[in-house]
Amino acid sequence: MCRSTKRTPSQVWAGIRFLRKIAAREGLPPVTHSRSEGFQLSEDPEVWVAYERAIFTTELHRITNVILGIIAPHAKREPSDEWVRLVLEQLGGVKATLEVLTRMER
């Protein structure tokens, strides 16, 4: 897309974010993306769900990596730190929710 529009990646993503806002405001279907179809405005709810699940899976991996790579070592070194205990509890809840959303059957 960058090559064909002669725009930078950040400009392309800004444009896509803008289109998503306009589509939502105008009552159009959400702008989704898949490797096989690229960006699209599909009327098929299955396409929406697949895209949402892909986002939840990505965020689940990111949260898991933050917990394992940053928060857990902090908690191990400072077990009495109230901040890190709160963060672990809250992110644990987020992680559990994302796991449920990625595994739910429709």
Side-chain angles (χ1 to χ4, degrees):
M1 211 181 235
C2 294
R3 211 176 311 133
S4 64
T5 61
K6 296 182 180 162
R7 301 285 182 220
T8 66
S10 64
Q11 289 172 320
V12 169
W13 281 111
I16 291 167
R17 283 191 301 274
F18 177 76
L19 289 174
R20 284 188 168 135
K21 289 177 186 176
I22 296 298
R25 187 175 33 201
E26 299 295 323
L28 297 171
V31 177
T32 60
H33 181 270
S34 70
R35 288 184 179 178
S36 60
E37 301 292 325
F39 288 98
Q40 58 182 327
L41 287 167
S42 174
E43 292 287 344
D44 183 3
E46 293 301 319
V47 171
W48 309 339
V49 171
Y51 184 67
E52 292 159 359
R53 282 190 176 164
I55 291 172
F56 296 148
T57 300
T58 299
E59 293 304 320
L60 174 60
H61 290 297
R62 290 178 70 190
I63 292 294
T64 300
N65 289 338
V66 167
I67 291 170
L68 294 176
I70 299 168
I71 307 302
H74 177 176
K76 188 174 182 180
R77 293 184 75 121
E78 301 286 333
S80 62
D81 186 341
E82 192 175 321
W83 164 256
V84 77
R85 286 197 328 260
L86 175 65
V87 170
L88 270 176
E89 290 171 4
Q90 294 300 311
L91 288 182
V94 170
K95 182 180 175 205
T97 300
L98 290 171
E99 285 175 346
V100 168
L101 290 171
T102 58
R103 295 178 185 169
M104 256 178 65
E105 293 296 320
R106 186 140 194 252

